[in-house]
Amino acid sequence: MNNTALRMKLETRNQKPTSARFCVKRSMLALACAGLFAITAGAAPAGVTVNGTALDDAVPSSGTGWSYAPPALTLSGAGPFTLSGTNEAGAVQVVVSSNVTCTVTFSNLTLAVSGSNRCAFALGENVNVSLSLRGANSLASGMLRAGLEVAAGRTLSITNAPGDAAGALTATGGHRCAGIGGGSYGNGGTVVINGGTVTAEGLDGGAGIGGGGDSGNGGAVTIHGGTVTANGGEYGADIGPGHNGTGSGANTFTGGSIGLGATSAFHAPSNATEQVFCASLAGFAPGGAVAISGLAGYGVNDLFADGDGCIHLWLPNGAHNFTANGNPRTVTIQNGVAPTGVTVNGQEIAFPAAPPAGWSYDAANRTLSLTGAGPFTLSGVNGVGGVRVVVSSGVVNPVKLANLTLKATSANQCAFELGTRANVSLILAGANTLASGSNRAGLQVAVGRTLSITNAPGDETASLSATGGGSSAGIGSGYNINGGRVTINGGEITAKGGSNGAGIGGGYYG
């Protein structure tokens, strides 16, 4: 590529040495100063309030139904409790006492803890919490604990605070734990979501919502409304059990925009009458509110598009007619297959208007196979891992990506892969994004494959962003695999490797 410039920015953090001054004229003054220093050090602000009272305003800090003995903030009464503020040093860890039923509001609350067996917010045995969300809230726990721990025998209900449709929560589990649900080895409890924007991130085998890694079973998850994004850690379900666990409760989806990292929920969700399937609708402003009317029997409160401008509705088989932001929309689900939002040469791949020429789509494993000489033009958005492209072995063809977004976030899922001896001429039009799960390159070109990339004629700003999963290249190979041949003749290319993977080239150990 001509006229290419590589810029590297190195930053160092300059730290000024601290100094301490001590002035001692009399021994009594020294003792007084020491005592004052001890009191000041012991009264360091926690940064968090309960019902407007700072946790460090009194020693000990307490109020009606709550008490704070650092780092434990114990909720022992019925509330209501409003928690606000920020502490990312692990100095505030909330525990709801056993056998308590209480009402809690998060109001711009951020809690982060690190270290083993430390949890940002945990429900005790036989606890029932009604949680309301106001503003942006975040919980992150340390190793072996869920971000918001709801173990078996506990119940959590979540909705937005009155008047705040955008109330949001992000819950991130520690190593081998669910985002919301069980810790390591822990079974998930009962989670009901009625509103708000909820993002749950499991880690290293933990479910997004459900069981922890290492055999944690999924609990019962019911979603009536809101905007829910659930991503399981490696080998964990997005909603359901953790790695090596089983589903122990039924999933019921009767509303909301529910985006799953790999469209995986176990058990298969129903609306309490029949099975429902994910239909992704694109074309909305990223992060914008979406108003739906005319969708009978489906909860549509607090819907917001994701970062790709999509919403994700879970509907039974049949034709569904409604309006979204005032525009008529129709979603048809046939035999459990929903539209993908991706087209090949102008045809929706799940329901082609004419017999496909040189390509096919397997809905069971969500794979679009390019088997012929083409040319093919791929367009559309699927950001929930629902479409993976494979160019068949030995195929030589031109492929155009025209404003295509594919994201496959689960382990060993690849957004776009070249088969053995495949030779692809990739042409870029508009802005395109490919992202893969752990162990797979964003655009996988392993040894023995050949890829050339250029921009479409007249589209000098055409771009591709390719992001590999853990241990994988952005463009090239996955874990423990050597990279193939990549030639770039044009276009704006951004290639990001995962941990220990090249930007363009080999994966970890490749």
Side-chain angles (χ1 to χ4, degrees):
M1 180 180 294
N2 296 328
N3 302 320
T4 301
L6 176 64
R7 299 182 180 180
M8 300 180 65
K9 182 178 181 182
L10 301 178
E11 297 183 355
T12 59
R13 178 175 295 177
N14 296 321
Q15 295 183 339
K16 295 181 180 180
T18 58
S19 62
R21 296 183 179 180
F22 298 92
C23 179
V24 181
K25 293 185 177 180
R26 301 174 187 265
S27 59
M28 288 298 292
L29 179 60
L31 290 172
C33 288
L36 177 61
F37 180 80
I39 293 171
T40 302
V48 174
T49 64
V50 180
N51 295 340
T53 299
L55 296 186
D56 51 357
D57 276 358
V59 181
S61 295
S62 63
T64 302
W66 66 272
S67 62
Y68 177 60
L73 169 58
T74 302
L75 306 182
S76 55
F81 305 108
T82 296
L83 277 57
S84 301
T86 299
N87 188 290
E88 298 179 288
V92 179
Q93 300 170 39
V94 184
V95 178
V96 183
S97 298
S98 298
N99 303 310
V100 165
T101 296
C102 67
T103 301
V104 179
T105 296
F106 290 172
S107 181
N108 295 302
L109 175 72
T110 296
L111 299 179
V113 301
S114 58
S116 182
N117 241 347
R118 304 178 73 192
C119 185
F121 196 106
L123 277 62
E125 293 182 2
N126 195 34
V127 160
N128 189 328
V129 171
S130 296
L131 177 64
S132 296
L133 305 176
R134 178 177 293 119
N137 305 277
S138 176
L139 301 174
S141 295
M143 293 176 60
L144 312 181
R145 303 298 296 270
L148 199 172
E149 195 157 281
V150 187
R154 287 81 162 169
T155 299
L156 172 71
S157 300
I158 304 176
T159 192
N160 60 299
D164 190 353
L169 169 66
T170 297
T172 304
H175 175 58
R176 299 193 303 215
C177 299
I180 299 175
S184 180
Y185 294 97
N187 300 330
T190 298
V191 177
V192 180
I193 300 176
N194 296 304
T197 297
V198 178
T199 301
E201 301 278 349
L203 190 65
D204 301 327
I209 303 176
D214 299 320
S215 305
N217 297 332
V221 178
T222 301
I223 301 175
H224 297 302
T227 300
V228 180
T229 301
N231 293 310
E234 187 170 11
Y235 305 114
D238 297 321
I239 295 179
H243 184 215
N244 287 329
T246 62
S248 62
N251 295 315
T252 305
F253 296 173
T254 64
S257 173
I258 307 167
L260 306 181
T263 318
S264 64
F266 184 81
H267 300 287
S270 75
N271 60 8
T273 301
E274 55 188 322
Q275 190 172 349
V276 291
F277 308 91
C278 183
S280 297
L281 281 70
F284 303 99
V290 179
I292 288 181
S293 62
L295 194 54
Y298 192 83
V300 294
N301 55 302
D302 304 334
L303 300 190
F304 291 86
D306 62 19
D308 299 312
C310 295
I311 61 172
H312 312 285
L313 310 180
W314 290 73
L315 304 169
N317 284 313
H320 306 273
N321 301 299
F322 53 93
T323 63
N325 287 349
N327 299 311
R329 303 294 292 262
T330 297
V331 170
T332 300
I333 298 178
Q334 300 177 5
N335 299 318
V337 178
T340 66
V342 176
T343 63
V344 175
N345 298 340
Q347 298 192 79
E348 160 62 50
I349 61 175
F351 307 119
W359 64 271
S360 62
Y361 177 63
D362 186 339
N365 58 26
R366 304 183 293 277
T367 299
L368 169 63
S369 298
L370 306 182
T371 57
F376 304 109
T377 297
L378 278 57
S379 301
V381 178
N382 192 296
V384 292
V387 176
R388 302 189 291 272
V389 180
V390 175
V391 180
S392 297
S393 298
V395 168
V396 177
N397 61 25
V399 178
K400 178 186 285 188
L401 306 185
N403 295 302
L404 176 72
T405 295
L406 299 178
K407 296 180 180 179
T409 58
S410 286
N412 298 310
Q413 287 189 326
C414 185
F416 196 112
E417 179 179 3
L418 274 61
T420 306
R421 300 186 309 281
N423 186 332
V424 172
S425 298
L426 194 65
I427 303 165
L428 305 178
N432 303 276
T433 299
L434 300 173
S436 296
S438 59
N439 304 322
R440 306 302 295 274
L443 200 173
Q444 186 136 325
V445 188
V447 63
R449 288 82 163 168
T450 301
L451 173 73
S452 63
I453 305 176
T454 192
N455 57 295
D459 192 349
E460 301 302 324
T461 62
S463 65
L464 170 64
S465 173
T467 303
S471 303
S472 304
I475 299 175
S477 63
Y479 173 73
N480 202 27
I481 304 174
N482 296 331
R485 176 172 294 181
V486 177
T487 303
I488 300 176
N489 298 306
E492 297 182 2
I493 313 298
T494 302
K496 288 185 175 182
S499 57
N500 301 305
I504 301 177
Y508 187 39
Y509 287 122

